[in-house]
Amino acid sequence: MTINRPSLAPRKIANNSAVAMMREHKRLAVELKEFMSRSTWRILVAGPLAIITAVLAMAATPLVTPASQESVDHFIFPILLFPGYLAGACLYAVIDEKLARATTVLLAICTGSLVLIFITMTA
Protein backbone atom coordinates (compact mmCIF):
# COMPACT_ATOMS: atom_id res chain seq x y z
CA MET A 1 0.00 0.00 0.00
CA THR A 2 1.54 3.24 -1.07
CA ILE A 3 0.17 6.60 -0.11
CA ASN A 4 1.26 9.43 -2.32
CA ARG A 5 1.98 12.03 0.30
CA PRO A 6 2.68 15.50 -0.95
CA SER A 7 6.24 16.56 -0.67
CA LEU A 8 6.01 19.83 1.17
CA ALA A 9 9.44 20.86 -0.01
CA PRO A 10 9.04 22.98 -3.11
CA ARG A 11 10.78 21.90 -6.26
CA LYS A 12 13.84 23.81 -7.33
CA ILE A 13 12.81 26.41 -9.82
CA ALA A 14 15.37 27.32 -12.44
CA ASN A 15 14.31 30.90 -12.66
CA ASN A 16 12.69 32.67 -9.76
CA SER A 17 9.81 33.96 -11.80
CA ALA A 18 6.56 34.68 -10.04
CA VAL A 19 4.58 32.52 -12.48
CA ALA A 20 6.71 29.44 -11.79
CA MET A 21 6.45 29.99 -8.05
CA MET A 22 2.67 30.35 -8.25
CA ARG A 23 2.40 27.11 -10.27
CA GLU A 24 4.47 25.29 -7.67
CA HIS A 25 2.32 26.66 -4.87
CA LYS A 26 -0.84 25.58 -6.70
CA ARG A 27 0.58 22.07 -7.26
CA LEU A 28 1.38 21.70 -3.56
CA ALA A 29 -2.09 22.94 -2.57
CA VAL A 30 -3.81 20.41 -4.86
CA GLU A 31 -1.67 17.52 -3.61
CA LEU A 32 -2.28 18.45 0.01
CA LYS A 33 -6.04 18.75 -0.59
CA GLU A 34 -6.18 15.30 -2.23
CA PHE A 35 -4.18 13.74 0.60
CA MET A 36 -6.35 15.33 3.29
CA SER A 37 -9.57 14.21 1.66
CA ARG A 38 -8.40 10.59 1.41
CA SER A 39 -7.17 10.53 4.98
CA THR A 40 -10.36 12.17 6.23
CA TRP A 41 -12.53 9.48 4.63
CA ARG A 42 -10.26 6.75 5.97
CA ILE A 43 -10.56 8.20 9.49
CA LEU A 44 -14.36 8.22 9.18
CA VAL A 45 -14.40 4.60 8.05
CA ALA A 46 -11.87 3.44 10.66
CA GLY A 47 -13.50 5.42 13.46
CA PRO A 48 -17.29 5.71 13.69
CA LEU A 49 -18.13 3.05 11.10
CA ALA A 50 -15.82 0.55 12.79
CA ILE A 51 -17.38 1.27 16.19
CA ILE A 52 -20.91 0.86 14.79
CA THR A 53 -19.88 -2.40 13.12
CA ALA A 54 -18.34 -3.74 16.33
CA VAL A 55 -21.40 -2.83 18.42
CA LEU A 56 -23.80 -4.43 15.93
CA ALA A 57 -21.63 -7.55 15.65
CA MET A 58 -21.53 -7.73 19.45
CA ALA A 59 -25.34 -7.44 19.57
CA ALA A 60 -25.72 -10.23 17.00
CA THR A 61 -23.19 -12.59 18.62
CA PRO A 62 -25.66 -14.23 21.07
CA LEU A 63 -27.90 -15.05 18.12
CA VAL A 64 -25.27 -17.15 16.35
CA THR A 65 -23.59 -18.84 19.33
CA PRO A 66 -25.00 -22.22 20.33
CA ALA A 67 -27.32 -22.29 23.31
CA SER A 68 -25.95 -23.78 26.51
CA GLN A 69 -27.33 -24.73 29.90
CA GLU A 70 -25.94 -21.58 31.49
CA SER A 71 -27.36 -18.38 30.11
CA VAL A 72 -24.23 -16.46 31.13
CA ASP A 73 -22.44 -17.48 27.90
CA HIS A 74 -24.71 -15.23 25.87
CA PHE A 75 -23.56 -12.23 27.90
CA ILE A 76 -19.90 -13.12 28.31
CA PHE A 77 -18.97 -14.03 24.71
CA PRO A 78 -20.07 -10.71 23.14
CA ILE A 79 -18.33 -8.70 25.86
CA LEU A 80 -15.11 -10.65 25.45
CA LEU A 81 -15.22 -10.52 21.66
CA PHE A 82 -16.01 -6.78 21.39
CA PRO A 83 -12.36 -5.60 21.53
CA GLY A 84 -11.50 -8.10 18.82
CA TYR A 85 -14.38 -6.94 16.63
CA LEU A 86 -13.36 -3.32 17.09
CA ALA A 87 -9.65 -3.94 16.45
CA GLY A 88 -10.42 -6.05 13.38
CA ALA A 89 -12.75 -3.44 11.88
CA CYS A 90 -10.33 -0.55 12.54
CA LEU A 91 -7.29 -2.39 11.23
CA TYR A 92 -9.10 -3.60 8.13
CA ALA A 93 -10.28 -0.08 7.33
CA VAL A 94 -6.77 1.32 7.75
CA ILE A 95 -4.77 -1.44 6.06
CA ASP A 96 -6.97 -2.13 3.02
CA GLU A 97 -5.69 -0.39 -0.10
CA LYS A 98 -9.14 0.34 -1.50
CA LEU A 99 -11.24 2.41 0.84
CA ALA A 100 -14.44 1.60 -1.04
CA ARG A 101 -13.91 -2.14 -0.49
CA ALA A 102 -13.32 -1.63 3.25
CA THR A 103 -16.45 0.50 3.50
CA THR A 104 -18.49 -2.08 1.60
CA VAL A 105 -17.29 -4.94 3.82
CA LEU A 106 -18.01 -3.06 7.04
CA LEU A 107 -21.46 -1.99 5.79
CA ALA A 108 -22.19 -5.60 4.79
CA ILE A 109 -21.32 -6.78 8.31
CA CYS A 110 -23.57 -4.05 9.74
CA THR A 111 -26.41 -5.05 7.44
CA GLY A 112 -26.04 -8.75 8.26
CA SER A 113 -26.04 -8.01 11.98
CA LEU A 114 -29.10 -5.80 11.67
CA VAL A 115 -30.93 -8.48 9.68
CA LEU A 116 -30.14 -11.10 12.35
CA ILE A 117 -31.31 -8.79 15.12
CA PHE A 118 -34.49 -7.84 13.24
CA ILE A 119 -35.38 -11.47 12.47
CA THR A 120 -34.89 -12.45 16.10
CA MET A 121 -36.93 -9.56 17.45
CA THR A 122 -39.86 -10.14 15.09
CA ALA A 123 -39.97 -13.92 15.58
Side-chain angles (χ1 to χ4, degrees):
M1 178 175 101
T2 59
I3 298 176
N4 296 329
R5 295 185 178 170
S7 60
L8 297 179
R11 295 180 188 164
K12 291 187 178 181
I13 301 172
N15 55 2
N16 289 331
S17 67
V19 175
M21 291 178 81
M22 288 182 71
R23 274 193 216 129
E24 184 64 20
H25 183 272
K26 192 175 196 179
R27 181 191 65 84
L28 286 174
V30 168
E31 285 183 9
L32 188 61
K33 182 179 177 184
E34 287 176 1
F35 174 71
M36 291 300 287
S37 65
R38 277 186 272 141
S39 63
T40 303
W41 281 109
R42 194 163 295 272
I43 288 170
L44 288 175
V45 171
L49 184 59
I51 291 171
I52 292 169
T53 303
V55 168
L56 289 175
M58 183 181 77
T61 300
L63 307 175
V64 296
T65 54
S68 64
Q69 296 293 334
E70 300 86 21
S71 62
V72 178
D73 292 344
H74 291 287
F75 296 115
I76 297 298
F77 285 146
I79 292 170
L80 292 177
L81 291 175
F82 177 73
Y85 291 151
L86 184 59
C90 286
L91 285 175
Y92 182 68
V94 170
I95 291 174
D96 195 3
E97 290 180 6
K98 295 185 179 180
L99 186 59
R101 179 173 50 198
T103 306
T104 305
V105 167
L106 292 179
L107 287 175
I109 293 171
C110 286
T111 305
S113 298
L114 282 173
V115 167
L116 279 172
I117 294 167
F118 180 74
I119 288 172
T120 304
M121 292 183 78
T122 56

